[in-house]
Amino acid sequence: MKSKKIFLTFLISTISIIFIVFLSAFIFVKTQIKPISSLQEETPVQFEISYGESTKKIATNLQNKNLIKNADLFYYFVRYPKLFDIFQKSDLQKENFVLKSGTYYLSSNMSYSQIIKELSSGQQEFIKIAIPEGHTVSKIARLLEQNQICKAQDFINICIDQNFLQENNISSLSAEGYLFPDTYFLNKNMDSKVVAQLMIKNFFKQISTIPQMQNKTPEELDQIVILASIVEKEYRLANEAPLIASVFKNRLKQNIGLYSCATLVYIITEINGEPHPDRILIEDTKIDNPYNTYKWAGLTPGAISNPGLIALKAAANPPKTNYYFFQVVDVEEGRHVFTSTFEEHKSNHTNYINK
């Protein structure tokens, strides 16, 4: 009888202790997950999630920004949504949440469920970046850094990473030529690899509309891209791009140098890192570099720009012409005249100089 009393006393004490512990834990959690501020109006705070950032890191950053009280509890509520059934009323669907990268505006009077809903909604502040046709890797890299998307050097490094290029089925020295010029909606502090892959995927999506670029080996595709990159830098009027491509194609067939000033500018600015020249000089045509199409016949070792669809279509399917030369006749308009013989070209050149 006495032992029964002792056992009952012990059992009641244990249950009481467990109840008190659970009650204390419940009260602690309820207190910790309450919004920091009870004010109805609070100034929103800009909060950023970098691409690939872990939930723990996000939770820590929320606490550091004074948006939540307890990073550990926030982490567990994200990982185990069923906790909302116990501790906080919520209209969230009880499934695993994915907190998405981007820039958000949060307030300290927001509950866990409100914060999680916002961060997993995808309603984020994007940064709109327009990449113009003909931009080089280095120019795109500078543009990305200026907009705080990623570091310029990180972007350049991934664009010349041979493993990365192989992963993306690119048979070239770099991703130059494969970063499709377009308008992109990006986030701050993205991984440079992700940014480059977005542009490369867009390139392959866009060229799927060009029949002549289908079923090509990576090496064959690269030849088209290189030619398109030169055409991109030479044409101003869209209807002239195919004719310029035909001139270069005819020269390639006859093993004649392309004589493209754009390739010299690429050497001067991108390879030698010098300022853009006001004009090309005779000595520039003698630069000893494989990209010098005045000195060497054939295509350059790699692309000299990132071409748009007009140049890509022109390079993939140039019309059959007898043209071997083109000469600008209207600088403002960017109009050229096309000729078949050197005598005609020389005459046009003389007329242009005199004009």
Side-chain angles (χ1 to χ4, degrees):
M1 192 72 177
K2 192 176 180 181
S3 61
K4 269 189 177 182
K5 274 188 174 181
I6 294 171
F7 175 74
L8 281 171
T9 304
F10 174 76
L11 185 61
I12 292 167
S13 300
T14 303
I15 291 170
S16 299
I17 291 168
I18 291 171
F19 176 76
I20 291 167
V21 168
F22 271 99
L23 182 61
S24 300
F26 182 83
I27 293 169
F28 172 77
V29 172
K30 287 284 284 184
T31 305
Q32 290 293 298
I33 67 174
K34 274 186 178 179
I36 287 177
S37 173
S38 59
L39 296 176
Q40 209 156 17
E41 294 294 328
E42 277 287 352
T43 305
V45 175
Q46 183 175 301
F47 184 76
E48 295 173 8
I49 299 179
S50 299
Y51 185 88
E53 203 163 44
S54 69
T55 304
K56 279 196 173 180
K57 176 68 175 168
I58 294 167
T60 301
N61 290 342
L62 283 167
Q63 185 174 330
N64 291 341
K65 284 264 190 180
N66 207 32
L67 291 165
I68 59 172
K69 295 175 184 175
N70 192 304
D72 291 330
L73 283 176
F74 184 86
Y75 168 77
Y76 286 116
F77 270 79
V78 174
R79 288 294 306 276
Y80 307 105
K82 293 290 184 186
L83 288 171
F84 280 106
D85 292 334
I86 303 170
F87 295 102
Q88 193 177 77
K89 285 184 180 180
S90 165
D91 60 351
L92 290 171
Q93 299 219 340
K94 303 305 185 294
E95 56 188 31
N96 288 335
F97 304 118
V98 178
L99 306 185
K100 299 176 182 178
S101 62
T103 303
Y104 301 86
Y105 290 90
L106 307 175
S107 303
S108 56
N109 60 2
M110 293 172 75
S111 66
Y112 271 24
S113 61
Q114 288 172 319
I115 292 173
I116 292 170
K117 188 174 183 178
E118 183 70 19
L119 299 185
S120 59
S121 68
Q123 298 300 312
Q124 47 194 295
E125 185 180 275
F126 291 104
I127 299 169
K128 184 179 177 181
I129 303 288
I131 308 297
E133 285 91 347
H135 255 34
T136 57
V137 165
S138 67
K139 283 182 179 177
I140 294 172
R142 286 197 294 272
L143 192 59
L144 292 170
E145 183 164 292
Q146 286 164 10
N147 286 275
Q148 301 180 338
I149 305 300
C150 62
K151 295 291 184 186
Q153 194 56 55
D154 290 346
F155 186 78
I156 291 169
N157 288 345
I158 197 63
C159 284
I160 58 174
D161 185 293
Q162 289 303 306
N163 290 329
F164 174 71
L165 296 175
Q166 286 173 18
E167 286 168 15
N168 287 278
N169 212 29
I170 294 173
S171 177
S172 188
L173 302 171
S174 77
E176 192 84 86
Y178 296 85
L179 307 173
F180 193 78
D182 205 344
T183 298
Y184 294 91
F185 295 89
L186 307 172
N187 307 132
K188 282 186 179 181
N189 305 315
M190 288 182 73
D191 187 324
S192 58
K193 184 176 181 178
V194 173
V195 180
Q197 275 181 324
L198 278 173
M199 296 179 184
I200 291 167
K201 281 183 180 177
N202 194 14
F203 167 85
F204 282 105
K205 178 184 174 184
Q206 296 295 335
I207 67 167
S208 67
T209 64
I210 306 174
Q212 294 79 10
M213 294 187 79
Q214 307 313 303
N215 304 315
K216 300 289 184 185
T217 65
E219 292 74 21
E220 289 170 336
L221 187 63
D222 196 48
Q223 297 293 291
I224 298 173
V225 171
I226 293 171
L227 178 57
S229 76
I230 300 172
V231 172
E232 181 65 61
K233 301 300 285 186
E234 293 283 1
Y235 90 90
R236 286 269 300 283
L237 301 176
N239 65 332
E240 288 190 355
L243 296 177
I244 290 172
S246 77
V247 169
F248 289 146
K249 203 74 175 175
N250 289 338
R251 285 176 161 263
L252 288 168
K253 285 177 184 175
Q254 298 299 323
N255 202 32
I256 302 170
L258 299 185
Y259 279 45
S260 167
C261 291
T263 61
L264 298 178
V265 172
Y266 185 81
I267 296 168
I268 294 166
T269 59
E270 297 295 322
I271 297 175
N272 295 346
E274 297 171 15
H276 196 291
D278 294 327
R279 59 197 179 99
I280 296 298
L281 305 173
I282 293 295
E283 50 263 38
D284 294 328
T285 65
K286 298 173 183 175
I287 297 173
D288 190 17
N289 189 287
Y291 279 83
N292 184 349
T293 55
Y294 280 82
K295 194 174 176 70
W296 310 107
L299 290 171
T300 50
I304 65 165
S305 75
N306 288 282
L309 268 183
I310 290 172
L312 285 163
K313 285 178 179 177
N317 189 32
K320 289 183 179 179
T321 70
N322 293 319
Y323 297 143
Y324 283 85
F325 306 91
F326 59 93
Q327 166 69 47
V328 68
V329 290
D330 188 328
V331 175
E332 291 299 318
E333 191 183 354
R335 189 161 48 84
H336 296 84
V337 63
F338 297 83
T339 52
S340 301
T341 67
F342 183 63
E343 286 70 27
E344 290 175 300
H345 176 66
K346 208 160 76 168
S347 174
N348 287 327
H349 184 70
T350 303
N351 291 337
Y352 172 73
I353 296 297
N354 290 338
K355 182 181 173 183

